[in-house]
Amino acid sequence: MSAEGVAERLPRLLTLVPWLLARPGVPVAEAAAEFGITEAQLRRDLELLWMCGLPGYGPGDLVDLSFEGDTVTVVYDAGLSRPLRLSGPEAATLAVALRALADAPGVVDTDAVQRALAKIEQASGRSDDPSAGTVAVGMGRTPGNARAEATVRDAVARHRALRLTYYSASRDAVGRRDVDPMRLMMVDGSTYLEAWCRRAEGVRMFRLDRVDDAEILDEPARPPADAEPREVPADATGLLAPDAGRQLAALRLAPEARWVAEYYPMEDVVADEDGSARVRMRYGDRAWMVRLLLGLGETVEVLWPPELAAERADRAREALAAYGVG
């Protein structure tokens, strides 16, 4: 899109069709003034809408507009008959997709993607539809993360060593690592830095949206000669397999909690017809896992082990008692 950015243009495009539907034959100048844009920008929006529509994307599937003089009329709306309202699961899915887009190497306008993501996260849980559940999509990157990721990309391009402040989700801990970058990789929708970790003395994968801070060191990246990049399998499951020595939990995620399977490493994910998912997740610290489950509330069910479910219930009762509830 133009320099205007996705965050500004997309809401207007989604609103434009239903607005025009209610005003057949409206002058282009009047429509432009209503949306606070120039006539030239409105015409660019209308040209883009001509390429939007339903799967199949044939002549009968796309938005169709009719121009007579300086007026415009919607002939076919392709389902855009009213302003878009996302359900909880739809908002979560879109947020995950936007995070993946922001992480993708080569994306130029990452600021626009971040602004769009911020608007979706702000709007989540504020739907007029009382049946729409609140969506926990606030796990995305902050502006500080974005700056750190830019530093990482710069270091990779210039072959410089890095000092990372990195959040380990499985240990719920932040640590500092000096690393020699090797390459950036896109795996399962997220971007990872593959680097030689000097502390661990081995090749490690660092997920970019978990880098809190990054500093380029005044020395070139020098991974050992025998430090070889990992082979990426077709489905990438082996590449990011969690440590088998960690504790294992079996969970059922409600549709509005499906984002958890996108954010944390999983051994197995099985989608159910109702939109929920059964997952197997390894974790290093029991207290951290209990806190995660408490935060997710009724959107996640612990299937196994029973002692984890019991500890979660005990902690919930203790919290309620502290507030005089229950």
Side-chain angles (χ1 to χ4, degrees):
M1 289 188 178
S2 68
E4 178 186 29
V6 176
E8 292 80 10
R9 196 177 185 190
L10 180 59
R12 184 173 70 243
L13 289 170
L14 294 174
T15 306
L16 188 54
V17 174
W19 189 88
L20 292 173
L21 272 173
R23 300 164 179 82
V26 64
V28 171
E30 180 181 333
E34 176 69 23
F35 284 86
I37 56 177
T38 65
E39 291 185 42
Q41 179 61 63
L42 179 66
R43 291 185 184 277
R44 286 194 292 269
D45 286 351
L46 297 175
E47 289 170 0
L48 179 58
L49 285 171
W50 254 327
M51 297 181 286
C52 301
L54 301 172
Y57 307 108
D61 303 313
L62 303 179
V63 172
D64 191 11
L65 305 169
S66 172
F67 292 91
E68 293 185 11
D70 290 327
T71 67
V72 59
T73 298
V74 176
V75 177
Y76 177 62
D77 59 50
L80 296 175
S81 57
R82 58 181 179 175
L84 176 65
R85 292 186 183 276
L86 296 177
S87 68
E90 288 170 339
T93 300
L94 182 56
V96 169
L98 283 171
R99 291 193 197 104
L101 177 62
D103 285 339
V107 174
V108 177
D109 199 355
T110 55
D111 288 341
V113 178
Q114 288 298 324
R115 290 194 300 273
L117 177 58
K119 288 192 175 184
I120 290 171
E121 292 179 339
Q122 182 180 16
S124 296
R126 295 181 173 89
S127 170
D128 291 339
D129 179 4
S131 65
T134 300
V135 184
V137 293
M139 303 290 289
R141 305 183 309 165
T142 65
N145 296 141
R147 288 191 293 271
E149 292 181 21
T151 301
V152 171
R153 294 178 188 276
D154 185 33
V156 172
R158 295 167 50 199
H159 306 287
R160 308 295 295 182
L162 275 169
R163 177 164 294 153
L164 302 178
T165 302
Y166 185 74
Y167 170 68
S168 173
S170 60
R171 292 196 300 272
D172 192 29
V174 176
R176 183 166 292 179
R177 313 277 189 96
D178 287 354
V179 304
D180 295 285
M182 297 166 64
R183 61 174 174 170
L184 290 172
M185 305 171 61
M186 176 69 80
V187 181
D188 287 342
S190 296
T191 303
Y192 291 79
L193 169 69
E194 186 175 32
W196 175 265
C197 178
R198 297 178 181 179
R199 188 179 75 183
E201 296 186 343
V203 177
R204 296 291 185 267
M205 302 279 285
F206 300 94
R207 184 164 155 168
L208 285 199
D209 63 355
R210 293 177 183 160
V211 175
D212 288 340
D213 193 22
E215 174 188 354
I216 297 179
L217 301 180
D218 190 23
E219 57 182 292
R222 292 195 183 96
D226 59 351
E228 297 185 359
R230 301 184 184 189
E231 182 179 352
V232 182
D235 62 359
T237 53
L239 185 66
L240 300 176
D243 185 350
R246 297 182 180 276
Q247 302 174 77
L248 179 66
L251 311 172
R252 177 178 285 112
L253 305 175
E256 56 267 37
R258 285 286 296 272
W259 63 269
V260 176
E262 301 285 346
Y263 191 78
Y264 295 99
M266 299 289 169
E267 281 198 354
D268 193 25
V269 179
V270 178
D272 292 327
E273 293 183 357
D274 62 355
S276 63
R278 286 166 287 133
V279 303
R280 296 185 344 134
M281 176 181 177
R282 289 196 180 271
Y283 57 96
D285 182 76
R286 173 67 69 85
W288 172 84
M289 187 63 176
V290 172
R291 289 198 301 273
L292 175 66
L293 294 171
L294 286 171
L296 292 170
E298 295 181 353
T299 64
V300 62
E301 176 188 358
V302 180
L303 304 176
W304 189 89
E307 54 268 24
L308 179 62
E311 184 171 348
R312 175 202 194 187
D314 290 342
R315 288 286 302 277
R317 282 192 290 269
E318 290 173 4
L320 291 173
Y323 286 94
V325 180

